[in-house]
Amino acid sequence: MMQAYATMPWWMIISMIAFWIVIATLILLIVVQLTRSIQPRRETPLEVAQRRFAMGEIGRAEFEEVRRVLSQAPASVGETSTPSAATIGSIE
């Protein structure tokens, strides 16, 4: 078997190696794409609030409060806002 490679031209050996590298790369890309599409998409906090409101888990006032809080931009990077009693009650 080794003797067969010894008699092959160098360009044929390099093209065979390149062929298998291309095949391995294609398989890897296919696997990555399939696993990426299988992972469920995470809901945004607003989508969670909309779903809970639609299912009746939270009321209109709670939904409006959550939407208002989420639409506000944070004042600074290190500062966190304290949730209201309605938001705390809906989390538990």
Side-chain angles (χ1 to χ4, degrees), residues 2-92:
M2 265 322 256
Q3 193 174 16
Y5 287 112
T7 60
M8 292 176 80
W10 62 270
W11 58 268
M12 197 176 248
I13 294 171
I14 291 175
S15 63
M16 194 174 0
I17 291 170
F19 170 78
W20 288 112
I21 289 174
V22 168
I23 295 296
T25 304
L26 288 175
I27 290 172
L28 180 67
L29 289 174
I30 290 170
V31 168
V32 166
Q33 286 297 326
L34 288 176
T35 56
R36 189 176 296 165
S37 64
I38 291 173
Q39 296 173 354
R41 187 180 72 83
R42 292 185 56 154
E43 288 181 301
T44 65
L46 183 58
E47 290 172 339
V48 172
Q50 288 171 339
R51 180 177 45 82
R52 291 184 68 198
F53 178 63
M55 293 174 57
E57 293 179 8
I58 60 174
R60 184 172 192 81
E62 290 175 291
F63 174 73
E64 294 296 330
E65 172 71 14
V66 169
R67 191 169 71 178
R68 183 185 62 77
V69 168
L70 291 175
S71 66
Q72 291 176 349
S76 66
V77 175
E79 187 177 329
T80 59
S81 62
T82 55
S84 66
T87 308
I88 293 173
S90 66
I91 294 173
E92 296 172 355

